Amino acid sequence: MNRIRITDYLEEHYPHDLDKILLADGFEDAFMGVVESFGTAPKACYNYDACIDILMKDDMDYGEALEYLEFNVTQAYVGERTPAFIKLDLGEQKL
């Protein structure tokens, strides 16, 4: 997904929060949507593993991508609208 499609999605579904929802630069292809929870502001949600894949395309190995994502992206608090990152791989577990 590119930045324009993300913005179009936010304009359609979150017009009152459009200028408040923070996006993670460079991770547009990992954008999944917006996460909401009672008592919190809507925030962008990204696929954690897809973010690693994006970083690996930039000549990082898995370990470097993991370290970069953890230190510079997922742990970077920029307020209540800091993007969320979801890990979807449950491995062998079944729901």
Side-chain angles (χ1 to χ4, degrees):
M1 183 173 286
N2 64 36
R3 179 70 72 152
I4 293 169
R5 287 187 62 207
I6 293 170
T7 301
D8 289 346
Y9 169 80
L10 295 175
E11 284 176 348
E12 182 178 343
H13 298 284
Y14 296 91
H16 300 294
D17 294 300
L18 178 63
D19 61 335
K20 299 174 190 136
I21 293 175
L22 302 176
L23 301 175
D25 292 332
F27 294 103
E28 290 80 10
D29 287 338
F31 180 80
M32 297 189 67
V34 174
V35 63
E36 297 182 66
S37 181
F38 182 78
T40 64
K43 58 180 81 176
C45 184
Y46 293 85
N47 180 317
Y48 182 91
D49 293 314
C51 290
I52 295 220
D53 291 341
I54 289 167
L55 291 170
M56 289 176 65
K57 289 179 186 174
D58 290 336
D59 294 327
M60 290 185 193
D61 64 31
Y62 179 81
E64 292 169 330
L66 181 63
E67 181 178 348
Y68 182 88
L69 185 66
E70 287 293 328
F71 186 76
N72 296 297
V73 182
T74 64
Q75 299 303 310
Y77 182 74
V78 290
E80 69 176 338
R81 293 182 188 261
T82 298
F85 296 84
I86 185 168
K87 296 179 183 179
L88 297 172
D89 183 15
L90 297 175
E92 296 298 317
Q93 297 177 3
K94 301 286 183 196
L95 293 179

